[in-house]
Amino acid sequence: MQADALPAAALHLLTFGLDREEFGIPVTQVREVIRVTEITRVPQVPPHVRGVTNLRGRILPVVEIRTRLGLEPAIVTPVSRIVVVEVLARVLGLLVDRVSQVTRLPADSVAPPPEEVVSAEADYVTGVARWDSRLIILLDLDKVLPLTA
Amino acid sequence: MADSFLVIDDSKLLHQMYRLIFSQGTLAGSTVQYATNGRDGYGLLAANPDLTLVLLDLNMPQMNGLEVLARRQAERLHPHIPIALVTTEGSEEDEARGRAVGAWDYLRKPFQPADIERLVTRARAEAAGRT
Amino acid sequence: MTADENPFGDLLQDYVVECLPLAEQVGDVFVELERSWRAGDPAEELLASVKGRLHTVKGNSAMMGLTPMQDVAHALEDACALLARASERRGDEAAALLIAGTGLLVDLIRTAPADGHGTAAADFVKQVNGFLAATPHRPTEPEERRQGDRRGSGSTGRTDGTDGASSVVRIDFRRLDALLEVLGEGLIQQSAFAELHRRLLRRVGPCEELGELDQAVVAMEKTLKRLESTLMETRLLAVSTVFGRFPRMVRDVAHAEGKRVRLVVAGGETSLDKAVLDRLNEPLVHLVSNAVVHGIEAPAERARAGKPAEGVLRLEASSVSGRVVIRVLDDGRGLDEQAIRGKAETLGLEVRSADSAHLHQLIFMPGFSTADQVSRLAGRGMGLDVVAGSIHGLGGTIEVDSAPGQGTTFTLSLPVTLAIVRSLIVEVDRERFALPLTHVAETVRAEPEAIREINHRGVTQWRGDLIHVADGGAILGTDAPVRPPRRFYVVMTAGAKRRGLLVDRLVGHQDVVVKGLDPALGRPDVVSGTTILGDGRVACILDVVRILDGARRAS
């Protein structure tokens, strides 16, 4: 167990759901969570960019994180949300099926990702946390978000 | 020698109007200098001994028309240059005081191009009469 | 002589430029004077300070043959002369008269080109005469006025003392826009040169002359870009041109609402593009009157809360790294979170776990005005959602911050210069796109028979030429499963190239604010930027030059 690679104190996570899986990202990277209004498609954008949306006058690119993680594109429902994150000095929105909540986890509830989850391409999974009876997959947005090679 | 004039008035609109007047008819081709306050105007007066006519606004902040005239009189600066004091109606007292400190004539607002032309004609005639 | 026969008629705009600020300043002084008199301060110097400006407005109006303005300015001069010596007449009645008079003067000047000023001026003069007559014993009036003038002349403290006589040029704003359009053409032509250079290079291979040509083309682009930014700068105006009307407005609204409000204005010299300023006016008016009507409490309520009876409203502008920040702050009661929560719930919004910041942002949503009365004063009932929409349409952002009992702050952030492009908005498969009008030659109703297929590409006759016509959905990748017959086509032009683009609807013309493409969006070929339309939706701005270029290359 690579305890030294994980933060010593508790983890503050925002958890969101895609299909039946739950994912977590550090709250420090989250600027806000908004409801999904209109997402305007933009032609010829890189893969995994679903489009843009108007965030109080700012044009926010919306990332289809589902396809980035190998799932089908999202079907927007009333509980869908856009998680506005700031990563690599860029502000982007992640389109997710639902947002759970902000969770605090003790550091020792995190285990390294199991073999099946990790692959050469999926280096964005930094670990897996067990909480209640749930499994939360921890994502490294720095690795998720470069959308092109 | 072409006519040369000096305008001392703090209103930019008036400058525009004078420009219009001095670019038309018999006055076209004249040289005109502009000052926006009494002090600068006095400096320009001092630097130009050959002015045909000076148009001096009465109401200006800091140094008004009467003060410019009074200083000119006290310092005996270019006494041959005619200075017309530009006033508005209802300032007869000021016109009298103006004459007392050396105003050559006065010009009441609102005036028209013809009024300026009349002043210039008279100023030229008097200058010619002196030489 | 009437205004029509006036020899200085062409100088009407100059008249307005000079006299309007003077009249507004005098109005500000009178508002200040009213407060001073109420506080028991005779403020004689303040009263004397307006004489020079009123005199200038009177004289200028006379020169322009504008009798109503001349008469009103004269009447104000008379009233001030009386108040200078008859101290017992100073008070609310006199102040109201002065303020009303300056308001009228400002309106008259502002509408100077218009005819038929009606009887307003004459009525005001009558009012002043009535006021003057009520004071007995008028000693040597001309003497008084002259003395007052001298004092006034010495201390008007006018700040526009620059010798701007020869260094300022007036130019119609539309000329600047026209210049920018011509510049836009120049940039297109320059890129045609660049393309030509590339083609020559491919055909002929590198050589010394082509190398020099390349340098010249690059230099030309740099020069044109510099010209563009210089031109954009000429459109900058000081924010004070918009702020100027607020002192009087705040006073009027506060008066009508029975409140006491002091307006503090800062940063008036901050500059913004005129196009932005023009459209900032209405939203600001709404925010300011909102603050007075709903934000600041009545004096009694303020006293109970331990606050001074007079509320403070601050209007501040500042420039921060390429953007202009305008803040409207009041020290009133702050946003009512309970009311917002309640309203949110009736609108079906989930707010149980929302924090303050979240709740505050809700007020910009449609239907959210918790004060349902559409007050005549509160900006003609312009809702905060419309304010937000206007600000967004300018490429700006608006946020609100508030603490209960302490006050509310609205912060607007605006780009200093805007690229505004007059565009045609079209709809293809329910998606909206903007085409800059400089690249639109015509819009034509599509008759299916008129478009034939040659080599799998549509062609049609347009003004005697055969042009290619492409489906908007195909070009823009709208991905619609079925392509219905399109009802219109837009003839796009760039340089000498023409091409038709089939679309479903022509939505209309709009000035759109161009927002650059976020780097995350990569480098789309057909889109040069994005914009926010009037309804808040984002639309892509088509890069017509690239589209026409790509089409040619494909053939």
Side-chain angles (χ1 to χ4, degrees):
Chain A
M1 185 159 168
Q2 299 142 316
D4 39 291
L6 303 167
L11 293 178
H12 242 129
L13 298 176
L14 175 86
T15 58
F16 59 84
L18 304 177
D19 281 351
R20 288 201 300 202
E21 304 293 345
E22 247 183 283
F23 298 85
I25 54 177
V27 145
T28 46
Q29 292 181 317
V30 177
R31 282 168 64 123
E32 64 187 291
V33 175
I34 58 174
R35 297 171 152 246
V36 181
T37 51
E38 184 117 3
I39 300 181
T40 300
R41 196 193 56 85
V42 177
Q44 299 169 345
V45 288
H48 313 304
V49 176
R50 181 148 170 147
V52 292
T53 192
N54 175 2
L55 175 64
R56 295 192 299 276
R58 186 203 189 114
I59 300 204
L60 179 76
V62 178
V63 172
E64 181 80 79
I65 194 168
R66 285 178 55 111
T67 56
R68 176 75 179 96
L69 301 185
L71 302 169
E72 292 294 309
I75 297 175
V76 176
T77 72
V79 298
S80 302
R81 294 286 183 270
I82 294 177
V83 180
V84 184
V85 298
E86 181 160 0
V87 172
L88 301 170
R90 300 223 303 250
V91 177
L92 301 170
L94 307 176
L95 177 61
V96 301
D97 296 340
R98 63 191 175 279
V99 167
S100 311
Q101 52 197 288
V102 175
T103 332
R104 229 201 202 103
L105 293 181
D108 58 12
S109 56
V110 181
E115 290 294 320
E116 320 86 70
V117 177
V118 176
S119 68
E121 300 125 355
D123 58 344
Y124 44 74
V125 178
T126 60
V128 165
R130 226 165 265 285
W131 187 65
D132 256 354
S133 52
R134 294 142 64 193
L135 203 69
I136 302 175
I137 302 170
L138 303 180
L139 293 178
D140 181 347
L141 281 184
D142 285 359
K143 302 243 171 60
V144 171
L145 279 181
L147 301 169
T148 50
Chain B
M1 191 175 77
D3 289 323
S4 136
F5 301 94
L6 172 60
V7 167
I8 308 176
D9 193 317
D10 62 325
S11 163
K12 289 173 199 159
L13 178 65
L14 260 301
H15 286 210
Q16 300 278 69
M17 290 171 167
Y18 284 120
R19 272 208 190 83
L20 213 55
I21 294 173
F22 283 112
S23 65
Q24 293 167 359
T26 58
L27 298 173
S30 333
T31 310
V32 190
Q33 296 182 72
Y34 296 89
T36 51
N37 64 70
R39 247 211 339 239
D40 292 349
Y42 194 85
L44 284 175
L45 174 64
N48 287 275
D50 297 313
L51 293 166
T52 311
L53 172 67
V54 177
L55 293 153
L56 172 64
D57 193 43
L58 169 62
N59 288 96
M60 292 184 290
Q62 278 138 30
M63 188 179 184
N64 68 33
L66 289 177
E67 287 161 344
V68 172
L69 284 167
R71 185 176 166 196
R72 193 272 287 253
Q73 187 176 65
E75 296 182 4
R76 281 198 266 273
L77 176 69
H78 304 323
H80 59 280
I81 296 182
I83 300 186
L85 190 62
V86 182
T87 67
T88 53
E89 44 107 355
S91 40
E92 295 81 2
E93 297 261 349
D94 290 310
E95 285 154 16
R97 285 169 162 254
R99 284 199 197 279
V101 285
W104 170 74
D105 202 341
Y106 61 86
L107 178 65
R108 282 233 195 108
K109 285 188 211 170
F111 58 80
Q112 296 180 48
D115 299 316
I116 305 266
E117 280 169 22
R118 263 194 298 274
L119 285 176
V120 173
T121 307
R122 198 146 60 80
R124 282 191 198 132
E126 287 184 14
R130 274 200 299 273
T131 51
Chain C
M1 150 168 313
T2 64
D4 292 326
E5 302 151 7
N6 190 278
F8 307 113
D10 287 339
L11 296 175
L12 194 56
Q13 286 308 314
D14 301 85
Y15 164 82
V16 175
V17 165
E18 177 156 301
C19 294
L20 187 58
L22 293 178
E24 283 176 338
Q25 287 164 24
V26 169
D28 289 348
V29 171
F30 286 153
V31 168
E32 194 51 43
L33 204 55
E34 182 185 47
R35 296 184 60 253
S36 302
W37 286 345
R38 283 195 181 143
D41 173 11
E44 270 149 351
E45 266 189 29
L46 209 52
L47 180 60
S49 75
V50 301
K51 290 214 155 55
R53 282 171 280 197
L54 279 177
H55 198 90
T56 299
V57 173
K58 185 180 80 175
N60 286 2
S61 304
M63 287 295 294
M64 297 293 299
L66 297 167
T67 319
M69 293 71 145
Q70 182 187 351
D71 290 343
V72 172
H74 189 110
L76 284 169
E77 272 188 314
D78 285 346
C80 286
L82 175 74
L83 291 163
R85 60 167 209 277
S87 55
E88 74 281 5
R89 298 301 309 274
R90 298 173 200 158
D92 282 352
E93 185 202 351
L97 190 65
L98 294 174
I99 291 171
T102 351
L104 174 60
L105 188 58
V106 163
D107 287 340
L108 287 173
I109 296 173
R110 204 180 262 138
T111 57
D115 257 315
H117 292 125
T119 58
D123 289 343
F124 179 71
V125 171
K126 267 199 221 102
Q127 241 191 314
V128 170
N129 288 337
F131 178 79
L132 296 174
T135 294
H137 177 47
R138 253 198 271 176
T140 52
E141 235 227 8
E143 164 91 56
E144 285 298 337
R145 196 126 48 81
R146 186 175 40 73
Q147 295 239 353
D149 278 343
R150 180 116 354 124
R151 234 194 334 249
S153 299
S155 61
T156 48
R158 269 185 266 175
T159 52
D160 65 329
T162 56
D163 175 31
S166 54
S167 66
V168 172
V169 181
R170 296 210 67 246
I171 178 169
D172 188 321
F173 189 64
R174 286 165 298 184
R175 285 257 177 87
L176 288 178
D177 272 346
L179 279 173
L180 278 168
E181 271 193 39
V182 173
L183 176 64
E185 294 271 309
L187 281 167
I188 292 170
Q189 286 156 6
Q190 184 274 340
S191 69
F193 266 117
E195 173 61 15
L196 210 43
H197 167 264
R198 281 194 286 274
R199 286 167 54 197
L200 263 178
L201 192 61
R202 277 199 295 269
R203 178 190 287 274
V204 158
C207 66
E208 191 184 332
E209 287 80 357
L210 278 179
E212 285 179 43
L213 180 62
D214 182 40
Q215 286 182 15
V217 163
V218 168
M220 184 194 279
E221 180 181 5
K222 284 212 188 96
T223 305
L224 287 175
K225 288 272 169 192
R226 243 182 33 230
L227 185 57
E228 184 181 45
S229 65
T230 308
L231 265 177
M232 290 303 282
E233 270 173 50
T234 60
R235 293 158 52 116
L236 296 182
L237 285 178
V239 171
S240 54
T241 54
V242 164
F243 282 5
R245 63 188 295 189
F246 285 111
R248 194 164 81 87
M249 194 201 102
V250 167
R251 183 218 164 256
D252 289 344
V253 175
H255 188 79
E257 297 284 309
K259 303 197 180 158
R260 290 181 49 198
V261 180
R262 181 161 67 96
L263 175 70
V264 178
V265 175
E269 69 287 351
T270 313
S271 301
L272 262 185
D273 188 289
K274 175 171 160 50
V276 177
L277 270 181
D278 286 345
R279 307 200 305 192
L280 198 54
N281 203 27
E282 243 187 78
L284 272 184
V285 165
H286 181 78
L287 289 176
V288 169
S289 63
N290 217 24
V292 176
V293 173
H294 301 301
I296 296 187
E297 317 92 321
E301 189 183 331
R302 288 181 66 90
R304 282 199 295 274
K307 296 186 193 176
E310 185 180 66
V312 177
L313 178 55
R314 299 182 67 95
L315 194 54
E316 299 175 346
S318 60
S319 122
V320 175
S321 53
R323 291 183 79 79
V324 166
V325 176
I326 296 182
R327 306 196 319 151
V328 181
L329 307 85
D330 70 69
D331 66 348
R333 53 169 76 97
L335 294 177
D336 185 345
E337 290 191 12
Q338 291 286 60
I340 295 177
R341 227 178 256 278
K343 192 66 182 247
E345 273 157 19
T346 60
L347 290 178
L349 295 170
E350 162 60 68
V351 288
R352 256 169 305 150
S353 52
D355 64 359
S356 286
H358 225 107
L359 283 177
H360 293 166
Q361 286 305 125
L362 289 178
I363 61 174
F364 295 118
M365 288 184 51
F368 235 96
S369 168
T370 50
D372 279 319
Q373 61 278 40
V374 169
S375 135
R376 173 181 60 83
L377 294 170
R380 285 162 280 144
M382 192 191 205
L384 277 176
D385 58 319
V386 180
V387 169
S390 299
I391 302 296
H392 294 165
L394 293 172
T397 60
I398 177 170
E399 315 221 314
V400 67
D401 198 19
S402 171
Q406 288 176 25
T408 310
T409 301
F410 284 91
T411 304
L412 284 67
S413 167
L414 296 154
V416 175
T417 56
L418 294 186
I420 293 191
V421 174
R422 194 136 185 81
S423 300
L424 168 70
I425 313 295
V426 301
E427 199 176 276
V428 179
D429 293 329
R430 303 246 274 269
E431 292 184 20
R432 297 208 171 168
F433 299 91
L435 286 105
L437 275 178
T438 47
H439 293 301
V440 173
E442 194 176 347
T443 57
V444 181
R445 195 175 282 282
E447 315 282 342
E449 323 81 62
I451 302 179
R452 282 160 295 150
E453 246 197 46
I454 297 182
N455 279 345
H456 307 290
R457 303 182 67 215
V459 293
T460 191
Q461 279 274 356
W462 178 71
R463 295 199 192 162
D465 283 333
L466 213 57
I467 63 168
H468 280 121
V469 177
D471 184 83
I475 299 274
L476 304 169
T478 52
D479 231 9
V482 180
R483 295 256 159 78
R486 310 280 186 200
R487 292 173 48 212
F488 299 93
Y489 65 87
V490 177
V491 180
M492 304 183 288
T493 96
K497 306 191 198 114
R498 308 268 183 275
R499 200 154 180 239
L501 184 76
L502 286 161
V503 302
D504 294 322
R505 279 183 63 209
L506 303 173
V507 179
H509 288 183
Q510 196 182 309
D511 279 335
V512 301
V513 175
V514 178
K515 305 186 126 220
L517 286 174
D518 190 292
L521 302 173
R523 299 250 185 106
D525 258 344
V526 298
V527 167
S528 65
T530 46
T531 186
I532 297 181
L533 295 177
D535 59 3
R537 287 160 64 182
V538 179
C540 291
I541 301 173
L542 298 187
D543 190 338
V544 175
V545 174
R546 281 277 215 28
I547 293 176
L548 290 183
D549 227 29
R552 193 188 40 75
R553 259 190 262 117
S555 61

